[in-house]
Amino acid sequence: MQFIKCLSFLLFFLTGFAVSAQNADSTSFEAQRMRVNKLIEDRKVKFGEYDLSLEKKSAIFGLFKSKDDMQRTIDILKNIVITDNNIFLETRRLISIKDDEKQKFQNLASEYDKQVSAYMGTINKLQKENEKLKKDIENLEGSDNSSNILLYIALAIIAVLSYLVYRNQKITKG
């Protein structure tokens, strides 16, 4: 029963510790994830601008693209490429945070596993010691009974001998 109480207390303690550690890591992960999502939204907006610039024709009679139209399209494409590069960098950081978090939890799990194993070993050792002490108590109680029986037999012999001596003295006097 005590083993179950100790184990449940240990698991409750470890779970609380893991949740508090997870909150700090989750905050940085969420912030990074929001940065990536914002960059993706920015890319969508820039891509919409790119679509509009492809359709825009401001040259003679609106039939052709002017040099400025082409340059705007190229600049928008450059911005999209820069945004894509930023998305890749931030996504790599996001994956790195997640990998670090995963490694941290694996380390914590192995450490907790070692601690739990050590606690279980200690509990098993104490249970074996307890069983040994119970057997020693039973043996001592059993030996006390045999000592008591010998004492009762000795008292009975003394009583019988005393009676015989008393009787002998009575016969010799009388």
Side-chain angles (χ1 to χ4, degrees):
M1 188 68 171
Q2 290 177 342
F3 173 72
I4 294 172
K5 286 181 182 178
C6 289
L7 189 60
S8 63
F9 174 74
L10 178 66
L11 290 175
F12 177 75
F13 176 74
L14 295 178
T15 304
F17 182 73
V19 167
S20 67
Q22 184 180 7
N23 287 342
D25 290 338
S26 294
T27 303
S28 64
F29 178 78
E30 286 299 317
Q32 186 66 26
R33 192 173 68 82
M34 289 177 70
R35 271 186 240 135
V36 171
N37 287 341
K38 181 170 181 348
L39 286 171
I40 291 172
E41 287 297 319
D42 290 346
R43 187 187 187 284
K44 284 180 187 176
V45 169
K46 289 177 184 176
F47 200 77
E49 290 173 8
Y50 171 72
D51 277 344
L52 290 176
S53 73
L54 286 177
E55 295 174 6
K56 188 174 184 180
K57 299 175 183 176
S58 61
I60 301 174
F61 303 114
L63 298 175
F64 302 104
K65 286 187 159 273
S66 69
K67 186 177 180 182
D68 289 339
D69 293 337
M70 297 295 274
Q71 189 60 47
R72 263 188 245 117
T73 302
I74 291 170
D75 290 341
I76 291 172
L77 281 175
K78 283 181 184 178
N79 284 335
I80 289 173
V81 169
I82 290 170
T83 303
D84 285 346
N85 288 339
N86 287 337
I87 288 171
F88 291 137
L89 290 173
E90 295 298 324
T91 303
R92 196 173 296 143
R93 286 185 191 140
L94 186 66
I95 291 171
S96 174
I97 289 171
K98 199 64 172 168
D99 289 343
D100 290 344
E101 192 175 280
K102 179 182 174 184
Q103 184 63 38
K104 179 181 175 185
F105 285 130
Q106 285 176 342
N107 291 343
L108 281 174
S110 65
E111 182 180 325
Y112 292 152
D113 197 29
K114 288 177 188 175
Q115 287 178 354
V116 168
S117 296
Y119 289 139
M120 288 175 65
T122 302
I123 288 170
N124 286 336
K125 180 182 171 187
L126 291 173
Q127 284 177 337
K128 287 178 184 176
E129 184 69 24
N130 192 18
E131 290 297 321
K132 180 184 170 200
L133 291 174
K134 283 181 181 179
K135 287 179 183 178
D136 288 347
I137 289 172
E138 288 174 8
N139 290 339
L140 289 174
E141 286 176 350
S143 67
D144 284 346
N145 287 341
S146 64
S147 298
N148 288 343
I149 290 173
L150 291 175
L151 179 65
Y152 293 140
I153 291 173
L155 287 175
I157 291 172
I158 291 172
V160 169
L161 289 175
S162 297
Y163 173 74
L164 291 175
V165 169
Y166 175 72
R167 193 171 139 208
N168 248 350
Q169 283 181 355
K170 207 177 192 189
I171 292 177
T172 53
K173 286 186 180 181

